[in-house]
Amino acid sequence: QLQLQASGPGVVKPSQSLSLTCTVSGGSVDRGAFHWNWIRQPAGKTLEWIGHIYASGPTTYNPSLKGRVTMSIDTSTNQFFLRLTSVTAADTAVYYCARLRIGTQPYIDSWGQGFLVTVSS
Amino acid sequence: IVMTQSPLSLPVTPGEPASISCRSSQSLLHGSGNNYVDWYLQKPGQSPQVLIYLGSNRASGVPDRFSGSGSGTDFTLKISRVEAEDVGVYYCMQTLQTPLTFGGGTKVEIK
């Protein structure tokens, strides 16, 4: 069974960069037919899609994040990564990594457990 | 694409039906004939889990008391008989185009 686990610093200072790693087990990030996503959820609010990356590297980001996002993937370690620059308190949220099926059944079929990142000095 | 859900909160009685509405600011009907909307349930303290994809298809393992319907810009999730384990926040999500977007959520709680 596929498992995704996000990890990284739980506290980031304002104006600095947030870096998270999603480690995938029970399946390969190198398989086609999937997009690897980052999604976040501020406390008590709805979900916000940050972006996704394909195994071969193409990325798509949410324009609302105004160029602050970079995603990458390492098929040798079965991980994908998120970097968000110039963070503010508004970036405090639970961050989920998730797998989106593409093709005939497009939906998110696996979510990580969520990782809380707090932006605070 | 903006996804708008109603109601925000839905108190339900076990054994009774429940219905959640989701409206999109643009049609989610693809040329394939599929509507690119999914429904997820986020139980308390958990990550979301898929219930319905492409508007009306139940995901594997989802009980048949859950059903999805609608086309274009108006969609509905129905629970035929609510059970205690169905409490949580329900979200619709569109996958027609990026940025992928979610509705604001509907909190279902037992009366």
Side-chain angles (χ1 to χ4, degrees), chain A residues 4 22 34-40 47-54 57-66 68-72 80-84 95-100 108 111, chain B residues 93 97-102:
Chain A
L4 298 92
C22 184
F34 299 106
H35 280 141
W36 302 94
N37 294 258
W38 289 98
I39 294 165
R40 68 182 182 179
L47 300 150
E48 179 184 27
W49 179 76
I50 299 170
H52 62 214
I53 187 166
Y54 193 58
T59 53
T60 306
Y61 304 137
N62 194 326
S64 70
L65 292 163
K66 296 181 174 61
R68 297 192 294 131
V69 179
T70 304
M71 293 182 186
S72 57
F80 61 104
F81 309 94
L82 170 69
R83 180 177 167 87
L84 182 65
Y95 285 73
Y96 294 98
C97 50
R99 185 178 79 171
L100 173 71
I108 297 174
W111 298 73
Chain B
M93 172 191 175
Q97 62 183 237
T98 58
L100 309 183
T101 46
F102 294 85

Side-chain angles (χ1 to χ4, degrees), chain B residues 2-15:
Chain B
V2 177
M3 305 292 283
T4 304
Q5 286 181 237
S6 62
L8 256 59
S9 177
L10 183 59
V12 296
T13 300

Side-chain angles (χ1 to χ4, degrees), chain A residues 41 45-47 49 52 60 62-63 96 100 104-108 111-113, chain B residues 36 38 40 42 46-48 50 53-54 91 93 95 98-100 102-104:
Chain A
Q41 185 175 36
K45 295 189 176 181
T46 189
L47 300 150
W49 179 76
H52 62 214
T60 306
N62 194 326
Y96 294 98
L100 173 71
T104 58
Q105 297 182 358
Y107 63 88
I108 297 174
W111 298 73
Q113 85 287 1
Chain B
Y36 276 64
D38 306 330
Y40 296 86
Q42 186 172 32
Q46 296 185 18
S47 303
V50 66
Y53 65 93
L54 291 177
Y91 296 96
M93 172 191 175
T95 57
T98 58
L100 309 183
F102 294 85

Side-chain angles (χ1 to χ4, degrees), chain B:
Chain B
I1 299 176
V2 177
M3 305 292 283
T4 304
Q5 286 181 237
S6 62
L8 256 59
S9 177
L10 183 59
V12 296
T13 300
E16 293 296 306
S19 180
I20 299 170
S21 173
C22 178
R23 179 166 291 181
S24 57
S25 60
Q26 297 174 219
S27 176
L28 301 182
L29 180 61
H30 187 262
S32 62
N34 291 312
N35 286 278
Y36 276 64
V37 63
D38 306 330
W39 289 94
Y40 296 86
L41 165 59
Q42 186 172 32
K43 295 183 178 181
Q46 296 185 18
S47 303
Q49 59 189 85
V50 66
L51 298 172
I52 302 289
Y53 65 93
L54 291 177
S56 60
N57 297 274
R58 257 190 315 277
S60 176
V62 174
D64 61 8
R65 64 179 181 274
F66 291 95
S67 65
S69 63
S71 185
T73 61
D74 289 289
F75 302 92
T76 302
L77 176 72
K78 291 182 179 175
I79 311 173
S80 59
R81 292 174 306 279
V82 173
E83 298 189 4
E85 65 182 26
D86 300 336
V87 299
V89 182
Y90 289 76
Y91 296 96
C92 57
M93 172 191 175
Q94 66 83 18
T95 57
L96 182 66
Q97 62 183 237
T98 58
L100 309 183
T101 46
F102 294 85
T106 295
K107 185 173 185 178
V108 170
E109 51 194 5
I110 299 295
K111 282 183 183 174

Side-chain angles (χ1 to χ4, degrees), chain A residues 12-19 40 65-70 82-88 91:
Chain A
V12 181
K13 288 181 167 47
S15 80
Q16 294 192 344
S17 295
L18 175 166
S19 293
R40 68 182 182 179
L65 292 163
K66 296 181 174 61
R68 297 192 294 131
V69 179
T70 304
L82 170 69
R83 180 177 167 87
L84 182 65
T85 61
S86 305
V87 298
T88 69
D91 295 309

Side-chain angles (χ1 to χ4, degrees), chain A residues 108-119:
Chain A
I108 297 174
D109 66 352
S110 294
W111 298 73
Q113 85 287 1
F115 186 82
L116 176 62
V117 177
T118 302
V119 178

